[in-house]
Amino acid sequence: MISIMLIAGNWKMNYGLKELYDFSNTFKSFEPSKDIDLCIIPPFPIIKEAKHIFQETKINVGAQCCHYKLEGSFTGDVSPKLLSEIGCDYVITGHSERRSNHFETNAYVKNTVLSLINKNITPIICVGETQEEKRKGNTFNFIKKQVSESVPIINDALIVVAYEPIWAIGSGNIPSEEEIEKIHNLIREELNSIPYLKVIYGGSVNEKNCKEIFSIPSVEGALIGGASLNFKEFLAIYNSGVKYLNSFKR
Ligand code: 13P
């Protein structure tokens, strides 16, 4: 069954085994909701250990990127096949930091998604405009193109698209509720032939603003960088999502 929301913490190039065990301690009190999946996305070398320590829990583990090929002469790259073998649940592809520093183009991202699906891993596909595109009033067209070129139409597996405006990442600035709603709806319209689609928001999500972000109707979760490194805060964000969804049940 597909949950309603996904809350994922992208550790980026931070932390190691010590912090993984700290995380595990903080999340001893974690009460998983069937409505919201939780995922941590640590650096590659500790994914296997993370899978091991969370095997009896509902904590999912993801990777921050991977190659689209299943094997071959690609020094330093990691294959979706290997990630599947070690039990990886999610993989981010097309993060803006990978697009700008590691040449992950729209075509690369699309091919990676196809390989991930083939290996039963859920892709988290990032899209988002630069400050410059926003300034030019070009956000709508930019996202439309990025979505159509990066996301393959898949009808039998869950696809997660994360709207992460580049100018919002790590800056403390977030788009207005109306802007987020408009872009999420655009993404949904562009991909309306994908039956299992989740559109989540990323960029400066924290404990203070998460309630407001979760209450935007088209937001189905969050991809969190900085605030996911503070484990108590990350847990509080998860619990805020649970509280929000529970408020509809009464
Ligand atoms: P911040 O939450 O630090 O802005 O990072 C967002 C992000 O890039 C998650 O992938």
Side-chain angles (χ1 to χ4, degrees), residues 10 12 92 95 97 164 168-171 202-205 223-227:
N10 175 9
K12 307 193 178 181
I92 299 176
H95 191 284
E97 287 148 20
E164 294 207 315
I169 295 176
S171 66
S204 293
V205 177
L223 181 56
I224 303 162

Side-chain angles (χ1 to χ4, degrees), residues 127-130 133 138-147 166 186:
V127 296
E129 78 284 4
T130 60
E133 295 294 339
N138 200 29
T139 300
F140 208 76
N141 288 336
F142 184 87
I143 299 293
K144 204 170 160 153
K145 182 169 181 328
Q146 217 177 26
V147 165
I166 297 173
L186 165 71

Side-chain angles (χ1 to χ4, degrees), residues 2 152-159 188 191-198 220:
I2 295 175
I153 302 301
I154 302 282
N155 52 29
D156 56 356
L158 173 64
I159 298 288
R188 204 155 260 298
L191 301 174
N192 66 5
S193 47
I194 299 183
Y196 309 109
L197 176 71
K198 209 184 281 303
E220 298 169 291

